[in-house]
Amino acid sequence: MRFCYRCGISEEEGGPLINGLCQVCFRKENPILLLPSEINTELCQNCGSYRKRGVWVDPQNYELEALIFEVAENALIETIEDSLDKVKEFEVVEWEELEKVEEIPVGKALVAFRVLDYHIEHFPAIIVYEVRAKARIHELQVEPHDETVTTTVYVRQTVCPRCQKFLAGYYEAILQVRVEDREFTKEEREEITKLVQEKVDEIMQRDRMGFIQDTIEKEEGIDFYMGSTSAARKLANAIRERYGGVISEAYELVGLDRQTSKEVYRTSVTIRLPKFRKGDIVEDRHGRVYRVESVDGKGMRLKNLETWESDHFDWKTIKREKIDLVEHEERKALLMGQTPTEAQFMDMETYETFEVRKPKEKLEDGEVYKIVRVKGKLYIKEKEGRE
């Protein structure tokens, strides 16, 4: 007969010995829940972020009380996980559920915790937890470990590295939005600023440094001062996808990294929007005249003003066909009548009458149309009031 070397109880009475210990002594000599009496953690007083396994993350809830408990529970669970080095896996369950558990696989722990007391009116916020764990760490265990401890989590305020840089005016790159050989309209500025703000919200879910440090309006365009070069590049691609254009980069040496002694460069990412806008009149190398119906990252949709047929041209085709802006005159005229091939108009200012070749689409007598003259030839651009 074998006996426990610690308490002397026989194997027959104390259950199968594990490494020379009875069941009770084995559990006492091999505790699983080794939590400190105090756990300290921090949250950023500016943005509410906190460290999760050493990495600053944004919270799920920004309401202060919920945020404090989120930060405290994260620190508690991380500490519990670190203390459970005798098991291969653990699972957090509700307190009532753990009460009912009797059988647990070897190598697994079930953990539950509940709040005993808290004081969160000021910082550091203090939350007292009761933690209970059940686990089997050896195949000969008849009854699982069942341990309960109390620990206090202190949540203190700090400023995260991102906010430190933001408050110090830090920026890593400049996103420059420019236009090619034309005016940068107010409407375009407003649309692009809105697009950038929407995309920044998406980017910052994955890149905490993707913030906009500053936005400067210039006569030639808009400059967005960005916390990360990656964010500036993603925004430039988003603008190009929506409006088309060409992206380029330039680099400026701004100093040396104090820790690595490597040269530090600041990047300027420039997105130059196309010269074309909706409503422009353009001409290809064959002399065909078009109205620009839309511009996007893939090319332009053009309406042939002779036939009124519309088609999309990619940027390579536009370059190959030498499609470019063409000088033209525009006036408004009233449609007086039609023949199978011609439409008769009256100029709304001079009352001069003239004829224009009809497109394939149906025209409406008595309506006002915009007429353009390109190199002496007249075209019907569109019905007045239609954009």
Side-chain angles (χ1 to χ4, degrees):
M1 182 178 294
R2 297 190 301 170
F3 299 89
C4 172
Y5 71 79
R6 187 172 181 274
C7 70
I9 195 172
S10 68
E11 187 172 24
E12 182 178 324
E13 186 177 354
L17 297 183
I18 305 174
N19 299 329
L21 295 170
C22 68
Q23 295 286 315
V24 174
C25 290
F26 175 76
R27 292 196 296 270
K28 289 181 178 179
E29 289 290 317
N30 297 276
I32 58 168
L33 199 55
L34 302 173
L35 293 183
S37 60
E38 295 182 2
I39 301 171
N40 291 283
T41 187
E42 297 175 325
L43 68 83
C44 178
Q45 63 189 30
N46 291 303
C47 68
S49 63
Y50 59 93
R51 269 193 291 253
K52 195 168 187 177
R53 286 296 176 200
V55 178
W56 286 90
V57 298
D58 292 319
Q60 296 180 354
N61 195 319
Y62 286 90
E63 192 274 320
L64 183 58
E65 181 173 332
L67 170 60
I68 290 172
F69 278 99
E70 179 183 337
V71 174
E73 288 185 9
N74 172 75
L76 176 64
I77 292 173
E78 285 188 357
T79 307
I80 291 171
E81 184 177 9
D82 293 340
S83 75
L84 294 172
D85 57 353
K86 293 183 175 68
V87 299
K88 295 180 180 179
E89 62 174 314
F90 83 102
E91 180 183 352
V92 177
V93 297
E94 295 295 327
W95 192 275
E96 294 75 15
E97 182 181 346
L98 187 60
E99 288 274 7
K100 302 174 184 178
V101 172
E102 295 181 0
E103 296 293 329
I104 301 176
V106 176
K108 183 173 182 177
L110 297 179
V111 180
F113 55 84
R114 60 186 176 185
V115 176
L116 296 181
D117 193 13
Y118 63 92
H119 303 280
I120 60 174
E121 299 80 16
H122 53 77
F123 287 92
I126 302 171
I127 306 175
V128 182
Y129 288 98
E130 183 180 22
V131 183
R132 184 178 180 184
K134 291 184 178 181
R136 289 182 67 207
I137 61 174
H138 198 283
E139 59 185 6
L140 293 179
Q141 272 188 265
V142 177
E143 295 183 6
H145 284 70
D146 188 350
E147 300 173 11
T148 303
V149 298
T150 300
T151 187
T152 303
V153 179
Y154 293 86
V155 180
R156 307 178 191 278
Q157 285 186 312
T158 188
V159 179
C160 71
R162 175 182 66 180
C163 288
Q164 288 176 4
K165 289 185 175 182
F166 180 80
L167 294 171
Y170 172 87
Y171 63 96
E172 188 175 281
I174 305 174
L175 171 63
Q176 299 177 318
V177 185
R178 302 290 186 264
V179 294
E180 181 183 348
D181 300 332
R182 63 174 176 83
E183 177 191 2
F184 199 173
T185 66
K186 179 182 177 182
E187 291 75 15
E188 286 177 310
R189 290 172 184 265
E190 291 175 350
E191 287 179 9
I192 288 174
T193 299
K194 182 180 179 182
L195 173 64
V196 167
Q197 291 171 344
E198 291 173 352
K199 291 296 181 181
V200 163
D201 290 340
E202 297 177 13
I203 290 170
M204 287 189 64
Q205 294 178 10
R206 300 179 296 276
D207 179 3
R208 284 176 45 79
M209 291 300 292
F211 57 80
I212 300 175
Q213 176 60 246
D214 196 8
T215 302
I216 297 179
E217 292 270 0
K218 297 183 175 181
E219 184 178 350
E220 63 270 25
I222 314 173
D223 287 353
F224 298 95
Y225 289 74
M226 304 300 304
S228 78
T229 302
S230 172
R233 288 170 176 155
K234 288 177 181 177
L235 290 173
N237 283 321
I239 294 171
R240 180 173 63 181
E241 185 177 333
R242 177 79 61 87
Y243 300 100
V246 178
I247 297 174
S248 61
E249 292 190 10
Y251 310 94
E252 176 188 3
L253 178 63
V254 293
L256 295 175
D257 188 291
R258 293 180 180 178
Q259 295 181 341
T260 64
S261 297
K262 292 184 178 180
E263 294 179 337
V264 177
Y265 289 88
R266 182 165 290 147
T267 306
S268 293
V269 181
T270 302
I271 169 71
R272 194 169 295 278
L273 304 181
K275 66 170 72 174
F276 308 104
R277 288 182 294 174
K278 180 179 178 180
D280 284 344
I281 302 300
V282 297
E283 182 184 45
D284 66 15
R285 61 191 178 97
H286 304 290
R288 291 187 287 257
V289 177
Y290 305 87
R291 176 189 182 271
V292 178
E293 294 194 305
S294 65
V295 183
D296 57 36
K298 297 180 180 179
M300 297 193 297
R301 178 162 291 279
L302 304 178
K303 182 173 78 172
N304 187 311
L305 290 188
E306 280 201 53
T307 64
W308 275 24
E309 292 177 347
S310 181
D311 199 4
H312 191 276
F313 293 75
D314 60 43
W315 292 112
K316 288 184 178 179
T317 301
I318 291 168
K319 185 176 181 180
R320 185 181 67 246
E321 295 299 316
K322 298 181 180 179
I323 295 174
D324 204 349
L325 298 172
V326 63
E327 290 188 8
H328 65 281
E329 298 174 0
E330 184 172 317
R331 54 177 163 169
K332 297 176 184 178
L334 179 69
L335 180 59
M336 304 293 292
Q338 306 177 55
T339 68
T341 58
E342 303 289 335
Q344 186 177 36
F345 289 93
M346 180 182 71
D347 190 291
M348 298 295 289
E349 291 186 3
T350 65
Y351 303 109
E352 171 194 0
T353 59
F354 55 90
E355 292 184 342
V356 183
R357 183 177 176 182
K358 282 180 59 177
K360 292 182 179 180
E361 288 191 23
K362 183 180 178 181
L363 302 179
E364 299 179 32
D365 290 346
E367 295 291 337
V368 176
Y369 288 82
K370 294 179 181 178
I371 309 297
V372 294
R373 182 189 296 272
V374 178
K375 298 179 180 178
K377 187 174 180 178
L378 296 174
Y379 300 88
I380 305 171
K381 180 182 179 183
E382 62 196 352
K383 187 177 177 181
E384 170 68 3
R386 179 177 297 175
E387 295 294 336

